[in-house]
Amino acid sequence: VQLQAFGGGLVQAGDSLRLSCAASGRTLSNYAMGWFRQAAGKGREFVAGINRSGGRTSYVDFVKGRFTISRDNAKNTVYLQMNSLKPEDTAVYYCAATMLGVTSTSIGYNYWGQGTQVTVSS
């Protein structure tokens, strides 16, 4: 499956963005999905995950209550709604697909999108 993430941009602290991850090649409903991010000079970290049906989600603590992951299997797309953005959310955001269940470890994901830059100014 090929993944393409888009929707990033430059925003101010407190603003919102919605990232999208469009899949092609295979049906997205076959995969659990995750969003990761990587800030400059840091490692890639898990942000949120969603199971195949969309009935179960998982979030890292520092985005709980601010970010929402969702999916539309009919559109082969996964979303990450990001509200109340903070400068520390600045990073390249990646979507990823796994044939396993939702996991926070990047090694568990088989396919990755190219990343979209999110920059939050203070």
Side-chain angles (χ1 to χ4, degrees):
V1 60
Q2 291 80 46
L3 303 174
Q4 183 175 5
F6 54 95
L10 172 63
V11 297
Q12 293 186 331
D15 285 351
S16 298
L17 274 178
R18 187 175 81 158
L19 305 183
S20 299
C21 176
S24 61
R26 292 190 178 182
T27 302
L28 196 63
S29 60
N30 291 331
Y31 303 91
M33 299 295 295
W35 283 98
F36 288 76
R37 70 186 188 187
Q38 187 166 15
K42 296 186 178 181
R44 192 168 297 187
E45 60 184 359
F46 174 78
V47 175
I50 189 167
N51 71 346
R52 289 174 178 79
S53 67
R56 187 171 74 88
T57 58
S58 177
Y59 299 92
V60 68
D61 284 346
F62 53 75
V63 305
K64 284 181 180 177
R66 299 190 298 125
F67 292 10
T68 303
I69 188 172
S70 62
R71 67 191 298 159
D72 186 338
N73 287 337
K75 295 183 177 180
N76 254 14
T77 303
V78 175
Y79 306 97
L80 185 68
Q81 178 67 42
M82 305 186 295
N83 298 329
S84 302
L85 282 162
K86 304 175 181 180
E88 51 264 44
D89 294 319
T90 295
V92 178
Y93 283 72
Y94 299 88
C95 60
T98 176
M99 298 191 73
L100 304 173
V102 175
T103 175
S104 61
T105 57
S106 60
I107 196 172
Y109 288 81
N110 311 93
Y111 305 97
W112 292 83
Q114 83 290 359
T116 184
Q117 175 72 47
V118 172
T119 303
V120 185
S121 64
S122 57

